[in-house]
Amino acid sequence: MPFIEESDLLELHKDVDKAQIINERLLDQIKYKNKELKKSKIQRNIFAGITTFFLIGGLAFTSFTAGLSSSGGFNRKASNDLVYTSIDSVDAIRTRLESLKEQNEELSLVKEFYLAKEFLQKEKIYSVQVKSFVDNNVTLASEALTNTLFVKTNPFYSYSLGNFETLQEAQSFRKQLVDIGFGDAFVASYQDGKRIQIEDPY
């Protein structure tokens, strides 16, 4: 076995201690550099967050002021105009509502008219016939009139005036028509739009 002198062993031991001290210093330096890198990374993230916040805030403020400048600015007069506009629109809505109420009343009258006409067709009524024609090329009045009947009794088209519930009312109306010149007028009863019979004129 080889022989090592004590002085060499002592030097070797000193070299190992120096190397160990150098390694510990290097490890300390690495730990210090890692801490600095972590700090700089955190600082960089905080700076990026703050910058993003201010950038978004600036854009929001710019768009808000741009909206105000395009609408004429935000002042007391603009606010009052908004109030006047809303009051005008309320008046317009009220006017429209009144118009709709009137139209509804007119539609109710039309509905009542058609219901009355339908009722007249189902019930027995009396009317005074004033004229008959062979051809239906003479339009005396609209079929929409409730007090007028247009009935086809082959080969004639008869025109009657008045829709009465009782025979006495129809006879009284016939007498008035005769007095003003309709001498041929007579009372007839109708049901479902068809003549049932000619009634006694008196």
Side-chain angles (χ1 to χ4, degrees), residues 165-188:
E165 290 182 38
T166 65
L167 180 60
Q168 290 78 21
E169 291 174 321
Q171 289 170 340
S172 172
F173 184 64
R174 179 204 165 270
K175 183 178 182 314
Q176 291 174 9
L177 288 175
V178 168
D179 289 346
I180 62 170
F182 290 96
D184 295 338
F186 60 90
V187 177

Side-chain angles (χ1 to χ4, degrees), residues 13-31:
H13 189 56
K14 284 182 184 177
D15 286 340
V16 170
D17 283 343
K18 281 182 187 177
Q20 195 174 11
I21 290 172
I22 290 173
N23 281 341
E24 286 178 6
R25 284 182 186 165
L26 287 174
L27 284 174
D28 287 342
Q29 284 179 356
I30 289 172
K31 286 180 183 177

Side-chain angles (χ1 to χ4, degrees), residues 26 39 75 83 102 104 157 195:
L26 287 174
K39 281 183 182 179
N75 56 25
V83 171
E102 290 175 7
N104 190 22
Y157 292 93
R195 185 166 73 190

